[in-house]
Amino acid sequence: MMDRISVRTLFFGVYGELAARREGSAELAADSTVADLVEALRGSEGLDWLPERVVVAVNQSYAEAGTVLSDGDEVALIPPVAGG
Amino acid sequence: MSQGSDDRVRTWITRESLDDFAQFEDIVRAIGSVADGALLFFQGRVRRTNRGRAVSSLTYEAYGEMAERELSAICREALERFDVGSVAAAHRVGDLELGEVSVAIAVTSEHRDAGYAASRWIIETIKVRLPVWKHEHYEDGESHWVGAPALEAGTSPGGAPFE
């Protein structure tokens, strides 16, 4: 059993601009949830603006705050969408 | 022998122009059926003004693979919700000029009511679910991510309502 997992983070739209990066990675304790990741990101440098209730997709599907993350997951931070 | 939803839905995300209606007509002829008496076509185009500001051009960014998946899921869901025969839908990404088509939806149905309802539901659902973002460039030289508030100290971008 791994103690730590690593996930890839993606920042789209205005979040990419605010974060001054399009992607990154985060290390978390095993069994961490989406909410744990968001909390960790909000506490990291340059990401304090990230809303607590940000919309997140895990491996290209919308995910709930309680979704448990796995090593290697792709987690996208989704600002309000504006297609059409 | 009934067709599965795979055969009756065609969706794509593209950098290529969607302005030509003929490409949709060809697809709808291929995936639709002669049982369908109605074909409804919707185009969304880049508009001159948005919220009172003069737009000069815009850039769409998509979460590529997820957008492909989500657009397909939306159209399959439309087949289940409405009595329609086939659905084709596409969304542009990249730089678009005024008047260019950003989104196109074609729906065939036996009768028109279901087609109108499905087409409307698809565009409204795209607007809340499809992971696509719009960066508007204005004639005064400024630009802005639609859905994001003006950046002021202490404001949270997630606090803005969907538009």
Side-chain angles (χ1 to χ4, degrees), chain A residues 10-15 17-18 22 49 51 57 59-62 74 76 78-84, chain B residues 60-61 63 65-66 69 91 102-103 127-134 145 147-148 151 156-158 162:
Chain A
L10 302 177
F11 299 86
F12 287 100
V14 71
Y15 290 175
E17 196 172 289
L18 291 169
R22 308 305 305 262
W49 49 265
N59 299 329
Q60 299 159 13
S61 295
Y62 287 112
E74 179 177 294
I78 310 264
V81 300
Chain B
Y60 280 101
E61 176 186 341
Y63 182 9
E65 288 176 66
M66 181 176 171
R69 224 192 251 197
H91 202 294
S102 54
V103 61
K127 283 177 174 285
V128 294
R129 265 172 59 183
L130 197 67
V132 169
W133 300 276
K134 182 158 63 173
W145 284 99
L151 284 179
S156 146
F162 280 20

Side-chain angles (χ1 to χ4, degrees), chain A residues 1-82:
Chain A
M1 217 23 217
M2 255 187 283
D3 315 340
R4 305 286 292 172
I5 58 167
S6 174
V7 298
R8 184 171 169 229
T9 50
L10 302 177
F11 299 86
F12 287 100
V14 71
Y15 290 175
E17 196 172 289
L18 291 169
R21 80 195 86 162
R22 308 305 305 262
E23 60 174 281
S25 62
E27 274 222 358
L28 300 160
D31 299 326
S32 290
T33 62
V34 163
D36 295 332
L37 171 66
V38 171
E39 197 185 327
L41 290 175
R42 278 160 51 81
S44 63
E45 201 187 334
L47 294 178
D48 57 328
W49 49 265
L50 199 64
E52 203 176 326
R53 305 183 67 84
V54 61
V55 175
V56 167
V58 176
N59 299 329
Q60 299 159 13
S61 295
Y62 287 112
E64 304 292 331
T67 300
V68 175
L69 297 170
S70 302
D71 191 54
D73 278 351
E74 179 177 294
V75 184
L77 289 307
I78 310 264
V81 300

Side-chain angles (χ1 to χ4, degrees), chain B:
Chain B
M1 203 168 56
S2 68
Q3 283 184 299
S5 68
D6 284 352
D7 306 319
R8 300 191 288 138
V9 170
R10 191 77 50 85
T11 57
W12 68 106
I13 306 288
T14 182
R15 293 193 164 273
E16 306 294 319
S17 172
L18 293 172
D19 290 20
D20 183 10
F21 171 72
Q23 60 183 318
F24 285 87
E25 198 170 13
D26 289 347
I27 289 167
V28 162
R29 284 193 189 284
I31 67 176
S33 153
V34 288
D36 294 339
L39 162 61
L40 198 68
F41 188 59
F42 172 84
Q43 286 184 329
R45 299 176 180 213
V46 179
R47 193 172 53 220
R48 160 68 71 187
T49 54
N50 197 15
R51 292 162 301 161
R53 298 193 71 172
V55 174
S56 56
S57 69
L58 54 81
T59 307
Y60 280 101
E61 176 186 341
Y63 182 9
E65 288 176 66
M66 181 176 171
E68 296 268 6
R69 224 192 251 197
E70 201 64 25
L71 186 57
S72 174
I74 290 167
C75 292
R76 277 165 219 285
E77 206 174 316
L79 280 188
E80 286 170 18
R81 284 171 172 260
F82 304 93
D83 189 14
V84 295
S86 66
V87 176
H91 202 294
R92 277 288 295 278
V93 288
D95 300 325
L96 276 75
E97 300 299 322
L98 291 182
E100 277 196 275
V101 174
S102 54
V103 61
I105 301 164
V107 176
T108 68
S109 53
E110 192 170 350
H111 300 290
R112 65 187 179 279
D113 282 354
Y116 277 107
S119 178
R120 181 68 195 259
W121 183 85
I122 290 166
I123 186 65
E124 299 305 331
T125 307
I126 282 173
K127 283 177 174 285
V128 294
R129 265 172 59 183
L130 197 67
V132 169
W133 300 276
K134 182 158 63 173
H135 199 203
E136 285 183 339
H137 311 283
Y138 305 107
E139 285 187 349
D140 61 14
E142 288 185 16
S143 66
H144 182 72
W145 284 99
V146 175
L151 284 179
E152 291 162 25
T155 60
S156 146
F162 280 20
E163 299 194 35

